[in-house]
Amino acid sequence: MNYGRFQDDGREYVITDVATPSPWINYLENGRYFATISANGGGLSYYKSPLHGRITRYRINDVPPDRPGKYIYVKDLDSGELWSLTWQPVGRNREAYRAAHGFGYTRVEAHVSGIASSVLFFVPPDDDQEIWRARLTNASGVPRRLAIVGYVEFALGHALIDLINQCDDQHFNRVRFDRELNALFATKTYWVTETRGTQHQENKEWDQWAFFTVNHPVASYETLRERFLGPFRSESAPQAIDGASLSSRDTDFGNAVGALRVDLELAPDATQEVIFSLGVIPKAEFDRRKAGAVSKYRRATAVDTAFAALRAHWDEVFRTAQVQTPDPGLDVFLNRWLPYQARVAFDVGRLASFYYWGLGRGFGFRDTAQDTIAIAPSDPGRAHERVLLLARQMRSDGSVYHHFTEDGQGEFTEHCDDPLWFILAVTEYVLETGDTALLQRTEPFLDGPPGTILDRLIAVMNFARHRLGPHGLPIFGRGDWNDTLDYIGGQDGGESVWGGLFYAAMANQLIELFTHLRLGEFLPDLVDFRDRMRAAIEKHCWDGAWYLRAFGEHGRKIGSRKNAAGRIFINAQSWAVIAGLPDTARLKTAMDSARRELGSAFGPKICAPAFREIDPNIGLITRCVPGKKENGAVFCHPAAWLIMAECFLGRGNAAYDYFKTLLPDRVDSDVFVAEPYVYSQYITSDEHEPPGRASHSWQTGTAAWMYRVALDFMLGVRPTYAGLAIDPVIPATWPGFKAERVFRGTRYYIEVLNPDGIESGIASAVVDGRPIKGNILPLSENRECWVSVTLRRP
Ligand code: GLC
């Protein structure tokens, strides 16, 4: 069953049946103010931090699902008929609704009881509020009198305390209607800002006023959920709307809500706009700004201008790289939805989604570093900021917080991989921008005097060097990229083969950077480290047809053909290629084994067979149900690395085949369940019933990696220190493709021809009519460059 489709070259995903198998959401955000919204209006809002700055509530995993949200009720004052401008929460006339998710906005249209409506939800790029712009047209032929009620349920501050300490926390709510400003203001007089919970009672109040307003005079309002919904009722049929007006009483206690009612008369064929806005104003600026900020978007022209700015922003982001391949379904993702998802994941940082409560531990160090690589091409400034943010999470010995919040709280863990992701973020940023000055930037270490970025790259390598086990591989600690391999080797921690490959690959990234910078003094050590790592793996980790994943207690092999479960792991094969292990025959065999042993109808599995017995000396992965998450699901993030590795081997058919299989819109939605326009963290494998079901959509490193892998390695248009390389690895059936890529200020218009029908080959390039040597486009002074590339058999 399908519930929708891409429209207008993928500029929107239109949902024609709003009874989607799970809430299909979108994000409205400007990097400070965040809102989620489903096709049915469900979703939460927060300012800066979903833990400390929660504006509205959203009850994850509750029944009915996807509540509360951003709701606009309509009541016919003559017939008494009630509906909502999104299908939920009233939930009638399902076929009358359509929703469209676009970039930073969602629009819901309906035609109920002779009233045609359209609501546009978005967050302006420059203001910390969300706009719900409703347009109602009377298509019924007779005059209508309507009551329109906008409704939100407030959280006001610390979301975890709101959840676990409701009975007390309710005493600190303050909600007031200001008649002069035609707006409700809400705040909390007690605010905890630490991450862990309630014990530590801080002596302060939430630093924001939330406001909720509308562009018509408010006829009546409500501030208390109990009065609005009524006993034993829900958002589907609020009791207060039955009456002639809302109570118009403020509250200092209870479940705080904002409900604003306006009464309209609509002549036949007339259209009226009702514009609600919900936002925050920092208390420090309240008196100065409230009038302007609160009333700004009551003017339709201000809404138009902000919406145009939002669209222009996204067009600009997407213009960084545009492709036209023989597969339009791939183009939709590469041109728009992948960079869009990657940007949202970068901004949200895994914190809040339909799956994540936003109550957890803050940003993950490795996730943040990986998210950065997708942002560097279109927004180097923000990538730069993130690198510095990551830098501040490090101690002078190179160890880093595993998770951290922006206000400086964090947690150290024993993961062997975390610090080295810093190398990825730094090198990808410099490759993209050429901004080598970054290396001299100074930031404080967590434990001492400031140090430069260069100091940190060295510190990270020292971290790596000092934690090697008996085979010369990284001591596993409490996990590597795979968090659920957390007790390999029991309490002592075994050794990570993938970790060794990762260390070698990151050492190699640094070798390239330092060679470019002529920082010769660091090179001998680095080359020696990388080569020793590669040699140790070749010596100890080849298992006959693939590479092992780890060594456990007493040298026990994990990811070996001799095991009943977890015989082969994806990352040990793909990263063997990425790390540049020298034995090409082995690499091909390993990748063929991955295809044979891990391949499935829904994509390659993370490992197989799944674990069915709990093994305390391996860890969490063995406690998880088979075929889900890290225990044998199709985990999409490492699947991107498998595609990358196929590209490294020049096998374009295989790379494209994996890519196509993993595109989220190519599966029946009743099977897939999650949104078809974004990637999910994992898809249940054939070892789980039912297989093919996606989960944890949106907030996954898959987006950043799929984006860069497809652009950089499949289409082969990638930054190098010398210039933009063109090195496609494509399906043999493609006659060619076109791509546009902005790199270091020049827009390259690239056409690739594949006359011999090959998967990869020596590219000869003509730049602005002149042939060049090799396939690296020299850095250009021109703002535009035309490039034609032809693939030939080697
Ligand atoms: C989740 C985590 C990521 C981790 C992966 C594998 O996606 O966000 O950091 O690498 O799971 O365990």
Side-chain angles (χ1 to χ4, degrees):
M1 199 23 218
N2 279 320
Y3 296 81
R5 62 190 142 70
F6 287 111
Q7 183 169 285
D8 189 16
D9 282 347
R11 282 185 179 78
E12 288 186 344
Y13 192 89
V14 177
I15 296 165
T16 45
D17 180 350
V18 291
T20 53
S22 67
W24 284 6
I25 73 164
N26 195 8
Y27 286 82
L28 320 174
E29 54 113 350
N30 60 16
R32 299 175 308 272
Y33 189 102
F34 292 84
T36 59
I37 184 161
S38 75
N40 292 309
L44 53 84
S45 305
Y46 65 89
Y47 179 57
K48 289 188 178 165
S49 152
L51 179 62
H52 304 135
R54 191 69 66 101
I55 303 164
T56 65
R57 286 178 172 162
Y58 184 70
R59 287 178 270 281
I60 288 196
N61 204 17
D62 210 346
V63 182
D66 195 25
R67 288 193 185 180
K70 298 123 200 326
Y71 296 145
I72 304 177
Y73 296 94
V74 183
K75 182 176 137 183
D76 185 306
L77 291 172
D78 295 306
S79 69
E81 189 182 357
L82 177 72
W83 70 98
S84 40
L85 294 188
T86 46
W87 174 48
Q88 295 295 326
V90 173
R92 286 199 290 267
N93 306 302
R94 167 178 142 200
E95 5 12 270
Y97 292 84
R98 282 158 75 90
H101 289 314
F103 307 114
Y105 70 89
T106 289
R107 197 179 59 249
V108 181
E109 287 158 10
H111 202 297
V112 178
S113 183
I115 303 292
S117 62
S118 168
V119 199
L120 173 69
F121 300 92
F122 74 100
V123 168
D126 297 324
D127 286 297
D128 297 329
Q129 48 184 299
E130 60 191 78
I131 315 293
W132 319 347
R133 174 194 208 154
R135 255 191 202 130
L136 297 116
T137 302
N138 180 357
S140 69
V142 292
R144 301 288 288 273
R145 295 190 313 122
L146 305 173
I148 315 290
V149 180
Y151 174 70
V152 290
E153 183 174 336
F154 287 118
L156 306 175
H158 199 295
L160 180 60
I161 304 234
D162 181 48
L163 208 61
I164 63 180
N165 194 20
Q166 287 191 22
C167 59
D168 291 333
D169 208 39
Q170 293 187 351
H171 298 79
F172 309 101
N173 290 334
R174 302 284 185 271
V175 195
R176 307 255 172 282
F177 185 71
D178 183 322
R179 201 153 279 290
E180 206 177 309
L181 291 171
N182 199 49
L184 263 179
F185 291 93
T187 192
K188 186 154 290 170
T189 56
Y190 156 54
W191 188 37
V192 174
T193 54
E194 65 124 57
T195 53
R196 283 161 298 168
T198 57
Q199 297 314 309
H200 182 69
Q201 309 235 335
E202 292 173 275
N203 188 14
K204 59 182 168 192
E205 61 194 81
W206 193 31
D207 62 349
Q208 304 293 317
W209 278 101
F211 66 86
F212 188 39
T213 187
V214 61
N215 68 333
H216 292 259
V218 169
S220 57
Y221 66 92
E222 187 51 86
T223 55
L224 195 64
R225 191 179 76 189
E226 287 73 5
R227 283 198 297 255
F228 185 72
L229 299 184
F232 301 104
R233 300 193 39 169
S234 75
E235 297 90 348
S236 301
Q239 188 180 55
I241 298 187
D242 295 348
S245 66
L246 307 179
S247 82
S248 297
R249 284 161 62 194
D250 296 341
T251 190
D252 280 342
F253 169 77
N255 288 296
V257 300
L260 301 177
R261 172 169 160 169
V262 301
D263 293 340
L264 292 183
E265 293 195 4
L266 216 51
D269 297 327
T271 297
Q272 289 227 36
E273 285 205 338
V274 184
I275 308 170
F276 291 95
S277 42
L278 169 71
V280 286
I281 305 177
K283 280 184 178 153
E285 299 174 31
F286 183 65
D287 290 329
R288 194 166 56 77
R289 280 190 61 222
K290 68 183 169 203
V294 170
S295 60
K296 178 168 177 186
Y297 292 104
R298 288 188 203 138
R299 283 176 292 118
T301 49
V303 177
D304 288 339
T305 308
F307 189 59
L310 177 75
R311 302 204 85 162
H313 161 75
W314 282 109
D315 285 347
E316 197 50 40
V317 168
F318 299 145
R319 269 167 52 83
T320 308
Q322 283 289 301
V323 307
Q324 210 182 321
T325 74
D327 181 350
L330 179 152
D331 298 354
V332 160
F333 279 92
L334 259 184
N335 289 336
R336 296 198 174 83
W337 286 87
L338 260 174
Y340 179 57
Q341 181 183 358
R343 173 71 70 115
V344 169
F346 173 88
D347 284 343
V348 175
R350 308 288 182 285
L351 300 181
S353 75
F354 176 64
Y355 305 87
Y356 294 122
W357 290 76
L359 305 177
R361 309 145 290 190
F363 285 71
F365 190 91
R366 80 159 81 85
D367 293 346
T368 304
Q370 292 172 80
D371 289 347
T372 305
I373 69 172
I375 303 311
S378 61
D379 202 338
R382 296 211 55 213
H384 186 266
E385 263 171 37
R386 272 301 159 86
V387 169
L388 300 185
L389 177 69
L390 288 168
R392 293 193 290 274
Q393 316 308 320
M394 194 183 289
R395 288 191 290 215
S396 46
D397 66 358
S399 59
V400 298
Y401 277 148
H402 184 66
H403 283 109
F404 61 92
T405 56
E406 289 212 31
D407 57 3
Q409 302 178 60
E411 183 194 359
F412 288 105
T413 60
E414 295 288 320
H415 288 77
C416 62
D417 65 318
D418 282 339
L420 281 86
W421 290 107
F422 188 67
I423 298 174
L424 180 83
V426 171
T427 53
E428 288 299 327
Y429 169 81
V430 178
L431 276 165
E432 185 65 44
T433 59
D435 174 17
T436 52
L438 171 72
L439 271 75
Q440 300 315 324
R441 270 295 295 246
T442 301
E443 289 290 335
F445 279 111
L446 282 171
D447 61 346
T452 63
I453 300 298
L454 178 61
D455 293 338
R456 284 175 164 79
L457 295 171
I458 303 303
V460 159
M461 286 312 300
N462 285 335
F463 171 96
R465 228 176 247 121
H466 290 120
R467 282 156 194 261
L468 304 179
H471 297 93
L473 300 173
I475 294 174
F476 218 118
R478 292 286 78 86
D480 60 15
W481 171 84
N482 191 325
D483 284 319
T484 64
L485 294 173
D486 53 348
Y487 280 91
I488 295 264
Q491 287 301 336
D492 299 339
E495 285 170 281
S496 170
V497 176
W498 172 81
L501 295 166
F502 177 60
Y503 281 14
M506 289 304 115
N508 206 49
Q509 297 262 122
L510 269 193
I511 290 166
E512 286 174 7
L513 174 65
F514 289 174
T515 307
H516 169 66
L517 294 175
R518 300 206 170 85
L519 289 172
E521 70 265 36
F522 299 115
L523 286 175
D525 268 4
L526 272 173
V527 170
D528 177 61
F529 178 82
R530 178 198 63 191
D531 292 349
R532 271 191 296 118
M533 207 54 66
R534 286 174 174 168
I537 292 163
E538 285 295 28
K539 180 157 178 219
H540 302 295
C541 308
W542 181 248
D543 193 49
W546 58 78
Y547 289 94
L548 299 172
R549 180 64 174 82
F551 290 104
E553 71 283 8
H554 314 302
R556 174 189 176 194
K557 293 175 178 175
I558 311 291
S560 163
R561 65 189 193 292
K562 304 214 175 82
N563 301 339
R567 286 155 47 93
I568 173 170
F569 282 74
I570 193 170
N571 281 349
Q573 320 320 318
S574 54
W575 280 80
V577 180
I578 296 166
L581 294 194
D583 188 332
T584 316
R586 275 187 177 180
L587 294 178
K588 286 191 173 146
T589 305
M591 290 293 286
D592 291 343
S593 300
R595 168 161 289 265
R596 192 181 60 247
E597 306 280 323
L598 300 172
S600 82
F602 298 101
K605 293 182 269 190
I606 187 171
C607 64
F611 293 91
R612 285 164 193 275
E613 306 282 332
I614 291 176
D615 187 333
N617 286 345
I618 294 181
L620 190 62
I621 189 171
T622 67
R623 300 178 187 275
C624 176
V625 54
K628 273 186 161 255
K629 299 265 301 168
E630 284 93 337
N631 191 14
V634 173
F635 214 88
C636 298
H637 177 163
W641 292 328
L642 198 67
I643 297 172
M644 181 169 164
E646 287 294 4
C647 291
F648 277 40
L649 296 180
R651 307 201 296 193
N653 290 338
Y656 175 64
D657 190 50
Y658 283 131
F659 191 88
K660 220 172 42 173
T661 306
L662 288 157
L663 280 172
D665 68 331
R666 300 205 180 176
V667 186
D668 180 337
S669 281
D670 281 330
V671 174
F672 197 73
V673 173
E675 296 92 330
Y677 40 87
V678 289
Y679 286 82
S680 289
Q681 184 198 68
Y682 76 89
I683 304 165
T684 55
S685 77
D686 47 13
E687 292 205 55
H688 187 81
E689 183 52 42
R693 184 175 183 144
S695 192
H696 299 50
S697 57
W698 281 99
Q699 297 301 324
T700 160
T702 313
W705 278 105
M706 280 291 178
Y707 183 53
R708 291 300 302 263
V709 166
L711 268 185
D712 290 31
F713 299 104
M714 284 173 56
L715 302 187
V717 179
R718 67 170 168 270
T720 71
Y721 294 111
L724 196 63
I726 315 285
D727 181 18
V729 184
I730 54 178
T733 51
W734 282 14
F737 65 88
K738 287 185 180 161
E740 267 179 62
R741 172 72 150 91
V742 178
F743 179 63
R744 312 260 182 110
T746 301
R747 176 175 298 277
Y748 293 90
Y749 296 90
I750 301 155
E751 181 165 31
V752 172
L753 300 169
N754 183 18
D756 298 344
I758 56 178
E759 294 172 73
S760 62
I762 310 277
S764 63
V766 177
V767 180
D768 287 334
R770 263 180 253 123
I772 58 159
K773 267 207 190 134
N775 60 350
I776 296 184
L777 312 179
L779 293 172
S780 168
E781 300 282 288
N782 299 342
R783 293 190 60 88
E784 295 188 324
C785 250
W786 273 264
V787 183
S788 170
V789 171
T790 308
L791 301 189
R792 296 259 178 255
R793 283 181 202 290

